[in-house]
Amino acid sequence: MRNRIEELRKEKGIKQEELALAVDVSRQTIGSLENGRYNPSIMLAFKIARYFNMSIEDIFIYEEDVENENK
C-alpha cells in the first residue's frame, strides 16, 4: 500500500512532529508511514484522512500484488 502523507504534509508546510501530535502518534510512526515501513490501523487512517479533510482512499492507495494480477 502506498500513501500520500509526505506529499500532503509538505503541501501544508507542516513537520512530521506536528502531524504526529495532531493524530496522537509519535513522529517515528509518521516517518515509518511515509517510508512505507508501516501500514496504519483503520483508526489512524481515519484520523489522518480527517486531518487532511480527505477520504482514506485519496491518501492511502491499495496496489494489488502484480503476481495476482497476472494469474
Side-chain angles (χ1 to χ4, degrees):
M1 178 166 59
R2 298 188 302 113
N3 70 69
R4 299 177 54 215
I5 296 172
E6 183 175 16
E7 168 193 346
L8 296 168
R9 181 178 59 74
K10 287 181 176 180
E11 282 177 10
K12 281 190 168 256
I14 63 169
K15 296 179 180 182
Q16 287 182 339
E17 292 85 357
E18 294 172 82
L19 178 56
L21 184 61
V23 297
D24 198 30
V25 296
S26 69
R27 185 207 54 79
Q28 290 84 356
T29 297
I30 298 299
S32 292
L33 286 166
E34 289 181 354
N35 292 321
R37 292 188 310 260
Y38 173 71
N39 288 325
S41 68
I42 192 68
M43 292 302 296
L44 180 53
F46 271 109
K47 287 180 182 181
I48 292 169
R50 184 171 293 150
Y51 178 84
F52 288 111
N53 197 29
M54 298 175 79
S55 71
I56 289 174
E57 294 87 357
D58 288 335
I59 298 172
F60 299 93
I61 299 95
Y62 175 73
E63 297 175 321
E64 292 281 340
D65 183 23
V66 176
E67 286 184 31
N68 288 335
E69 291 177 3
N70 293 328
K71 289 183 181 179

